[in-house]
Amino acid sequence: MAQIGTDKQAAKGFLEAGNVVGIPTETVYGLAGNALNPDAILTIFRVKNRPSFDPLIVHTDSFAKLDQFVTDIPELARKLAKAFWPGPLTLLLPKRDLIPDLVTAGLPTVAVRIPNHPLTLDLLRSLAFPLAAPSANPFGYISPTTAQHVADQLGDQVPYILDGGPAGIGIESTIIGFENNVATVFRLGGMALEQIERVIGPVLVQTHSTSNPKAPGMLSSHYAPRKPLILLSAGTSPQPGERAGALVFREPFGGIQANHQRVLSPTGDLNEAAKNLFAHLRTLDTLPIDVIYAELLPNSGLGQAMNDRLRRASVQ
Ligand code: AMP
Ligand code: MG
């Protein structure tokens, strides 16, 4: 069983030996391995049961180190890195040969970001290599936002989970790519579109793809609980019932037991809602209910990324 702790040296030791380790970030917990070691990368794919066409995000601790991994940093990418790193924004940049093809699933671009978590930044500074880290959950399931979530699902396959407390943002990073001086968002996430557009102007958003997705977060069914999830648009009500549960924004629904409902933010704060989203979905998945009703959120700020996750969670 995985040990959960705050010992950076222990985490460093496992990573240097080619093992994988659970790491905290501000978005969700990651399943980290040496990004330059193909064996460690294969272990990540095996532990997650992740298809090999699904590339990983490479985490580093400084902008200066980027030149080691990428051949070019377009001006738009520089501006975003300057404005938002460390933070929940992942940039797709042309990769150097040093990054194994396994990491990028054969793509010519590598996804990179500097995560904003003090423990993980310290760990990255102490290592001679960057960390490849997808979310530390079995492929397709809800991402983990605490060390315990990681232990619950991957504990028997991971020697160590670095505990950095509950994730401060709670939803995966926003992924953005650059082609011919045009920025395209491929996954909505913890960095709101409005904030990105304030820095580089209007961006394209392309988060749906049925085949050969650029980001698996683009697969129509992803981030899903095991129970069926039914999405309700604002103002509509669920079927009342003893075996129904609900995920609501500010106030519980009538007709469903209070203890079968989880409120994302009683004050209507979308950032607080994002922090609670995945933990609440996990809890609802364990209750004695047959169906989860989920209310769509206001479509601004992190509401957009949360609605994206709820839509994908609702696809069976
Ligand atoms: P996860 O951390 O589990 O959310 O997975 C990382 C996400 O980053 C996946 O959805 C990947 O498809 C996406 N990603 C990583 N590298 C690339 C890339 N080169 N192009 C497009 N998406 C990428
Ligand atoms: Mg994931």
Side-chain angles (χ1 to χ4, degrees), residues 90-110:
T90 295
L91 308 178
L92 301 179
L93 299 172
K95 84 174 193 76
R96 279 196 196 281
D97 291 342
L98 178 71
I99 301 290
D101 288 333
L102 272 175
V103 169
T104 66
L107 293 171
T109 53
V110 58

Side-chain angles (χ1 to χ4, degrees), residues 144-223:
T145 53
T146 66
Q148 191 58 49
H149 291 162
V150 182
D152 289 346
Q153 293 190 305
L154 303 179
D156 54 352
Q157 298 176 82
V158 179
Y160 198 79
I161 301 165
L162 197 55
D163 189 352
I169 296 215
I171 197 157
E172 300 85 351
S173 60
T174 301
I175 299 180
I176 190 164
F178 311 91
E179 242 167 60
N180 307 323
N181 219 22
V182 177
T184 304
V185 166
F186 292 106
R187 177 173 76 181
L188 297 166
M191 181 58 64
L193 274 185
E194 295 93 324
Q195 276 183 280
I196 291 173
E197 293 192 325
R198 233 172 272 142
V199 173
I200 58 168
V203 298
L204 300 176
V205 178
Q206 190 195 319
T207 57
H208 292 274
S209 169
T210 44
S211 62
N212 195 17
K214 271 216 170 140
M218 293 171 90
L219 291 173
S220 52
S221 173
H222 209 68
Y223 312 108

Side-chain angles (χ1 to χ4, degrees), residues 110-290:
V110 58
V112 284
R113 87 175 182 103
I114 302 181
N116 191 13
H117 192 291
L119 261 186
T120 292
L121 282 172
D122 275 353
L123 176 65
L124 283 163
R125 272 183 217 112
S126 76
L127 294 168
F129 47 82
L131 291 174
S135 52
N137 53 302
F139 184 71
Y141 194 67
I142 305 161
S143 296
T145 53
T146 66
Q148 191 58 49
H149 291 162
V150 182
D152 289 346
Q153 293 190 305
L154 303 179
D156 54 352
Q157 298 176 82
V158 179
Y160 198 79
I161 301 165
L162 197 55
D163 189 352
I169 296 215
I171 197 157
E172 300 85 351
S173 60
T174 301
I175 299 180
I176 190 164
F178 311 91
E179 242 167 60
N180 307 323
N181 219 22
V182 177
T184 304
V185 166
F186 292 106
R187 177 173 76 181
L188 297 166
M191 181 58 64
L193 274 185
E194 295 93 324
Q195 276 183 280
I196 291 173
E197 293 192 325
R198 233 172 272 142
V199 173
I200 58 168
V203 298
L204 300 176
V205 178
Q206 190 195 319
T207 57
H208 292 274
S209 169
T210 44
S211 62
N212 195 17
K214 271 216 170 140
M218 293 171 90
L219 291 173
S220 52
S221 173
H222 209 68
Y223 312 108
R226 307 205 191 285
K227 299 217 158 92
L229 183 139
I230 297 176
L231 258 187
L232 299 171
S233 45
T236 54
S237 307
Q239 290 275 57
E242 253 174 50
R243 304 270 311 172
L247 180 72
V248 299
F249 181 32
R250 305 182 64 156
E251 281 177 27
F253 287 120
I256 296 183
Q257 272 168 241
N259 61 351
H260 287 176
Q261 302 201 52
R262 289 295 176 279
V263 179
L264 288 169
S265 172
T267 60
D269 174 348
L270 287 167
N271 295 332
E272 182 187 28
K275 236 181 267 187
N276 290 326
L277 178 70
F278 290 144
H280 282 357
L281 271 176
R282 274 173 190 264
T283 307
L284 287 164
D285 220 8
T286 65
L287 295 180
I289 55 178
D290 298 327

